[in-house]
């Protein structure tokens, strides 16, 4: 009998999760209600952050975070080329110019050295970014302390794209604490650490940013008389005081989120355990294993191997296809964003960010999710060993 394919990532849904969603379906609220507030409080408390705003995706979260930071036409946003397109697109939604900072060859996160060099040059040319979005690739935090020091020196706002990283830690503090940033964003897409189906969240310690995020995620409408331009006409009255969106999360999604948060630590421990098993089983092969910075405890959203193509004597595509043929649904993270046709049309070229481009030629993402059994992981390990022979 042929074994079932092993995906690269998938959600883990318990009976308790299902019951939590069913309970909401028979309650008074389906759209934003008490469960969304509870989910926001639960995540904020986990991170030790003052405020959280739940939205319908991390993409929406990044968009309103950029708007709350005041990003607009004529401004510049920098992010990593080794990310999902949403980390860059949020700048374009605001009419800003987007540029990238090449990656660190060990962590595959934005390189702090390249960032510093680029800032020095941008300062000379009067083209400093207003917003920088470091992406915690694969769940491992960027060097936030160093990035925050540069933010102080050059005056940009830091928004952490922590889509991969809920449950991870940096210098002992939960990712999302916003100790070194203005805002942090999580994704709750099903392949991520916890899920709400679709969903995202912005965290911040700033009451002013929180107020802006609340307005922006729901049409720019306020019901608070203190924020109104005119006098309330009556108890029905609300005012739209700026242009916002309908990015609200539903109570149905939030119920799943609250229930999943109870297992966050178990999920990350399991991912760490599986990552360690991969490390031990693949160490002798011609490849580079994920390197871990001592300041970071990764949530291990992804386990990326980097092939030593010189020693291997075969191409990455061959290895990728051999694994897929065995039902191992390997994936690839990421095609450098600046090489996407949309960004090429804005003036980016091959060779602009050589480290990210070299990395892209050599990597494969192996299956990793909390529900991956040791037996299925052994199948992946055997298939990788065979493919690299
Ligand atoms: C780094 C990163 N940022 C942003 C996003 C967008 O997340 P969402 O699908 O919740 O909009 C993703 C999703 O894959 C991501 O990996």
């Amino acid at each position: 009998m042929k074994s079932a394919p092993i995906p690269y990532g998938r959600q883990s849904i318990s009976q308790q999760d299902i019951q939590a969603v069913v309970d909401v379906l028979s309650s008074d609220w389906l759209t934003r209600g008490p469960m969304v507030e509870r989910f926001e409080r639960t995540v904020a408390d986990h991170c030790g952050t003052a405020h959280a705003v739940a939205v319908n995706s991390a993409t929406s979260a990044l968009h309103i975070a950029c708007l709350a930071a005041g990003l607009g036409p004529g401004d510049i946003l920098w992010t990593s080329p080794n990310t999902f397109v949403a980390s860059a697109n949020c700048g374009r939604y605001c009419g800003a110019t987007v540029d990238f900072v090449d990656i660190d060859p060990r962590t595959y996160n934005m390189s702090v050295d390249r960032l510093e060099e680029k800032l020095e040059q941008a300062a000379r040319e009067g083209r400093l970014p207003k917003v920088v979005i470091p992406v915690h690739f694969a769940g491992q935090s960027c060097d936030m302390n160093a990035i925050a020091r540069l933010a102080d020196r050059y005056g940009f706002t830091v928004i952490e794209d922590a889509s991969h990283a809920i449950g991870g830690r940096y210098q002992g503090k939960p990712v999302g604490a916003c100790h070194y940033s203005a805002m942090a964003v999580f994704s709750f897409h099903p392949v991520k650490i916890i899920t709400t189906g679709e969903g995202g969240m912005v965290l911040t310690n700033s009451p002013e940013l929180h107020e802006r995020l609340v307005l922006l995620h729901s049409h720019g409408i306020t019901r608070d008389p203190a924020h109104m331009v005119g006098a309330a006409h009556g108890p029905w009255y609300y005012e739209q005081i700026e242009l916002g969106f309908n990015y609200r999360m539903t109570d149905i999604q939030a119920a799943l989120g609250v229930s999943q948060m109870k297992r966050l630590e178990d999920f990350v421990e399991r991912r760490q355990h599986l990552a360690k098993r991969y490390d031990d089983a693949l160490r002798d092969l011609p490849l580079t294993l994920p390197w871990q910075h001592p300041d970071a405890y990764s949530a291990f959203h992804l386990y990326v191997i980097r092939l030593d193509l010189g020693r291997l004597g075969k191409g990455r595509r061959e290895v990728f296809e051999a694994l897929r043929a065995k039902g191992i649904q390997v994936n690839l993270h990421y095609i450098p964003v600046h090489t996407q046709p949309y960004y090429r049309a804005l003036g980016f070229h091959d060779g602009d960010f050589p480290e990210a481009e070299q990395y892209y030629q050599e990597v494969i993402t192996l299956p990793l999710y909390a529900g991956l059994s040791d037996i299925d992981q052994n199948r992946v390990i055997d298939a990788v060993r065979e493919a690299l022979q």
Side-chain angles (χ1 to χ4, degrees), residues 57-60 62 83-84 86-87 135 161 163-164 187-189 192 198-199 334:
S57 71
T59 304
S60 306
L62 287 163
T83 185
F84 185 59
S87 320
V135 181
D161 185 343
S163 290
H164 297 182
S187 171
F188 308 123
H189 179 279
K192 301 298 194 310
E198 296 277 3
Y334 284 98

Side-chain angles (χ1 to χ4, degrees), residues 29 73 104 106 115 132 141 178 192 227 231 238 297 303 319 342:
W29 293 92
D104 179 288
R106 287 204 295 184
L115 176 63
V132 173
S141 176
C178 298
K192 301 298 194 310
H227 295 134
Y238 61 83
Y297 174 76
Y303 190 93
V319 175
Y342 173 81

Side-chain angles (χ1 to χ4, degrees), residues 46 139 141 165 167-175 265 295-299:
H46 166 84
S141 176
R169 291 178 170 267
Y170 173 70
Q171 294 182 341
K173 285 199 177 62
V175 169
E265 267 172 39
D295 280 349
Y297 174 76
S298 178

Side-chain angles (χ1 to χ4, degrees), residues 89-368:
N89 290 348
C90 54
R92 301 294 301 150
Y93 299 155
C94 301
T97 299
V98 168
D99 201 352
F100 303 91
V101 179
D102 210 351
I103 61 170
D104 179 288
R106 287 204 295 184
T107 60
Y108 317 140
N109 279 331
M110 176 185 283
S111 156
V112 173
D113 292 343
R114 295 291 88 74
L115 176 63
E116 188 162 11
E117 283 166 19
K118 199 173 168 101
L119 286 165
E120 279 165 16
Q121 190 182 347
R124 284 195 298 275
E125 295 169 358
R127 289 180 45 80
L128 282 167
K130 183 163 201 167
V131 168
V132 173
I133 302 191
V135 181
H136 303 320
F137 177 74
Q140 172 167 227
S141 176
C142 296
D143 185 354
M144 292 308 299
N145 195 350
I147 293 172
R149 262 190 270 120
L150 293 170
D152 276 351
R153 194 182 321 154
Y154 291 98
F156 56 83
T157 299
V158 180
I159 301 171
E160 296 172 73
D161 185 343
S163 290
H164 297 182
I166 191 169
R169 291 178 170 267
Y170 173 70
Q171 294 182 341
K173 285 199 177 62
V175 169
C178 298
H179 191 66
Y180 293 111
S181 67
M183 290 170 273
V185 164
F186 291 138
S187 171
F188 308 123
H189 179 279
V191 295
K192 301 298 194 310
I193 313 296
I194 65 159
T195 191
T196 59
E198 296 277 3
M201 197 174 279
V202 190
L203 290 99
T204 183
N205 287 315
S206 154
E208 293 79 24
L209 288 172
H210 176 238
E211 205 171 279
R212 301 264 306 130
L213 293 165
V214 170
L215 267 182
L216 287 163
H217 96 299
S218 193
H219 305 284
I221 283 176
T222 184
R223 292 178 184 279
D224 180 350
H227 295 134
M228 289 180 188
V229 175
H233 302 171
W236 62 86
Y237 192 66
Y238 61 83
E239 276 187 357
Q240 185 198 340
I241 55 175
E242 65 176 284
L243 188 62
F245 306 87
N246 179 355
Y247 283 170
R248 293 187 305 263
M249 178 178 272
T250 66
D251 258 26
I252 306 167
Q253 293 167 300
L256 182 53
V258 168
S259 183
Q260 290 256 299
M261 277 300 285
K262 295 184 183 141
R263 293 193 290 152
L264 175 63
E265 267 172 39
D266 291 347
F267 284 159
V268 174
E269 270 173 32
R270 176 73 188 155
R271 285 172 176 275
Q272 282 269 348
H273 171 77
L274 291 165
K276 175 91 176 40
R277 283 188 92 237
Y278 273 140
D279 286 350
D280 292 343
L282 304 176
R283 200 178 297 286
D284 59 316
L285 297 174
L287 48 80
T288 306
L289 302 171
W291 184 79
Q292 298 299 294
H293 192 286
D295 280 349
Y297 174 76
S298 178
F300 265 112
H301 166 48
L302 302 173
Y303 190 93
V304 171
I305 55 170
R306 188 164 181 173
L307 306 180
D308 183 344
L309 296 175
R311 271 168 68 206
L312 199 56
K314 55 173 108 171
R316 188 267 310 275
R317 183 172 180 155
E318 204 181 322
V319 175
F320 191 99
E321 285 177 345
L323 290 166
R324 282 270 175 110
K326 284 187 177 304
I328 314 297
Q329 302 278 319
V330 285
N331 212 315
L332 212 153
H333 298 89
Y334 284 98
I335 304 164
V337 177
H338 68 282
T339 67
Q340 294 290 353
Y342 173 81
Y343 283 95
R344 285 184 192 274
L346 293 174
F348 292 100
H349 302 100
D350 290 335
D352 284 346
F353 303 99
E355 198 65 55
E357 291 169 33
Q358 184 65 35
Y359 159 90
Y360 168 58
Q361 296 304 323
E362 299 171 356
V363 290
I364 295 179
T365 305
L366 301 184
L368 182 62

